[in-house]
Amino acid sequence: EVQLVESGGGLVKPGGSLRLSCAASGFTFSNAWMSWVRQAPGKGLEWVGRIKSKTDGGTTDYAAPVKGRLTISRDDSKTTLYLQMNSLKTEDTAVYYCTTDGLVVVPPACDYWGQGTLVTVSS
Amino acid sequence: DIQMTQSPSSLSASVGDRVTITCRASQTISSYLNWYQQKPGKAPNLLIYAASSLQSGVPSRFSGSGSGTDFTLTISSLQPEDFATYYCQQSYSTPLTFGGGTKVESK
């Protein structure tokens, strides 16, 4: 059974940093493309970024609002995905979801989702 | 960036109704269009990928169609568990983008 469990959310001041983790199990993590998607309170879904598998280059892509401030990485030995969040702004307040990207469907889509972790940026 | 526009933003329907939601892309995306369902307080769930392919385990009352710039999600006979918010997403090019959502409410 595919499981994605996010952690690391919490309250942080504007300008601060936070690192989210997503522990993955039930599939071959090293072969998977992974994404982060966020949802501000009462708002719609916003794609944050994606990391490909190392086999496919391990490259990352980001949405414009987060580029240069948020960084996606992976540790295949720990089957864990990370989102390093720096220079946080109040508009980064959201539930952050970890997703697989095309694990079972082609072309890729966000086919499995974690339960999400809430990040609140406030003074 | 490719903009995704969903309509309507909300609709009221009754159990048994046929429901149609549309999604328009700002440029052609071939068939790289996905649909998700989200219930309050829960993570989204993939319903349809590649415009018309049903994700495993999703009831057959859900269907998707379209290609190019115009797409449709249809629920053939609305069930009580289908009251939720639905999002389209293009996976043609990064940044991947979502539509604004359509909330399906009980009439």
Side-chain angles (χ1 to χ4, degrees):
Chain A
E1 179 194 3
V2 172
Q3 283 201 318
L4 301 170
V5 180
E6 300 95 337
S7 61
L11 175 63
V12 60
K13 289 182 167 51
S17 297
L18 207 58
R19 189 177 81 158
L20 306 184
S21 300
C22 172
S25 60
F27 63 101
T28 305
F29 181 78
S30 60
N31 291 344
W33 294 17
M34 302 293 296
S35 288
W36 288 96
V37 174
R38 69 184 181 183
Q39 186 169 36
K43 302 297 185 183
L45 301 173
E46 181 184 21
W47 182 80
V48 172
R50 177 176 71 191
I51 186 166
K52 295 181 179 179
S53 64
K54 286 191 169 54
T55 302
D56 290 320
T59 55
T60 51
D61 291 288
Y62 298 95
V66 308
K67 202 166 188 178
R69 301 187 300 115
L70 275 57
T71 302
I72 299 173
S73 62
R74 62 192 300 156
D75 186 333
D76 291 344
S77 67
K78 295 182 178 177
T79 66
T80 301
L81 178 73
Y82 300 102
L83 181 64
Q84 178 66 44
M85 310 172 73
N86 298 330
S87 303
L88 282 163
K89 305 176 180 181
T90 55
E91 52 264 41
D92 295 317
T93 294
V95 173
Y96 285 75
Y97 296 101
C98 158
T99 86
T100 59
D101 200 340
L103 184 66
V104 296
V105 303
V106 176
C110 299
D111 38 12
Y112 290 94
W113 296 66
Q115 84 288 352
T117 187
L118 176 63
V119 173
T120 303
V121 184
S122 174
S123 54
Chain B
D1 298 1
I2 299 174
Q3 309 304 316
M4 305 301 293
T5 304
Q6 277 183 247
S7 61
S9 56
S10 66
L11 64 90
S12 297
S14 300
V15 172
D17 284 353
R18 182 181 181 88
V19 170
T20 299
I21 298 168
T22 63
C23 181
R24 174 165 289 176
S26 60
Q27 65 187 74
T28 184
I29 58 170
S30 185
S31 295
Y32 290 82
L33 191 283
N34 309 310
W35 290 99
Y36 301 86
Q37 176 194 67
Q38 186 179 33
K39 297 181 180 178
K42 300 294 188 182
N45 181 47
L46 177 66
L47 297 177
I48 302 280
Y49 63 97
S52 60
S53 296
L54 198 65
Q55 169 68 324
S56 175
V58 174
S60 59
R61 63 181 178 272
F62 291 93
S63 64
S65 64
S67 67
T69 61
D70 294 308
F71 301 87
T72 299
L73 173 70
T74 299
I75 309 173
S76 60
S77 177
L78 193 68
Q79 297 303 300
E81 59 268 30
D82 300 337
F83 293 104
T85 301
Y86 294 84
Y87 296 92
C88 62
Q89 180 208 29
Q90 65 84 14
S91 56
Y92 181 78
S93 66
T94 57
L96 309 185
T97 43
F98 288 90
T102 296
K103 187 173 185 179
V104 177
E105 299 175 300
S106 178
K107 185 181 288 184

